[in-house]
Amino acid sequence: MLLAYTQVAEYMQAASNAYYSKGTAFGAAGDFITSPEISQIFGELIGIWHVAQWMNAGCPPKVQLIECGPGRGTMMADMLRAIKQFPDMQVALDVHLVEKSHALYRGTMT
C-alpha cells in the first residue's frame, strides 16, 4: 500500500509542478470547467448538506471545513454563501483551503 501511495504522491507532485502550475487549467480559457464554475447551486447545496450534518451532530460549537484542491475557491465561496444563512454554524466554522499549486494558491480566496 505504501508503494501505491508513493506512486500517487509522486504523480500528483509532478502534475502540480507542470499542468496545474500554468494556472489556466480551469474556466473558459482553460481545458475544462468544473461544476462550481458553471453554477453556484452545486456549492450551495453542498453547503446546506454540511449544515444538515452539523445539526444532526447536535450543533457542535467548533467544526472544521477543509477543502483539498480548491482551485480558485469557487465552491467554498458558494458553500459559505449558503452557510451564512445559519449564523450559529457560521460562528462555529474554521475554514481551511489546501492547495498545492502555487499558481492556483495565489488566486484562492483567503
Side-chain angles (χ1 to χ4, degrees), residues 1 18-19 27 41-43 48 50 55 65 67 74 78 81 83 87 94 98 104:
M1 187 64 151
Y19 182 73
I41 294 172
F42 179 74
I48 295 300
H50 279 287
M55 288 178 173
L65 186 56
E67 183 179 3
T74 304
D78 295 341
R81 184 180 311 104
I83 290 170
D94 186 13
V98 181
L104 292 172

Side-chain angles (χ1 to χ4, degrees), residues 6-9 18 41 55 60 63 67 71-72 74 78 85 93 96:
T6 301
Q7 291 172 344
V8 171
I41 294 172
M55 288 178 173
V63 65
E67 183 179 3
R72 295 183 225 168
T74 304
D78 295 341
Q85 303 303 313
L93 273 183
H96 300 272

Side-chain angles (χ1 to χ4, degrees), residues 3 10 29 42-43:
L3 178 61
E10 289 171 359
F42 179 74

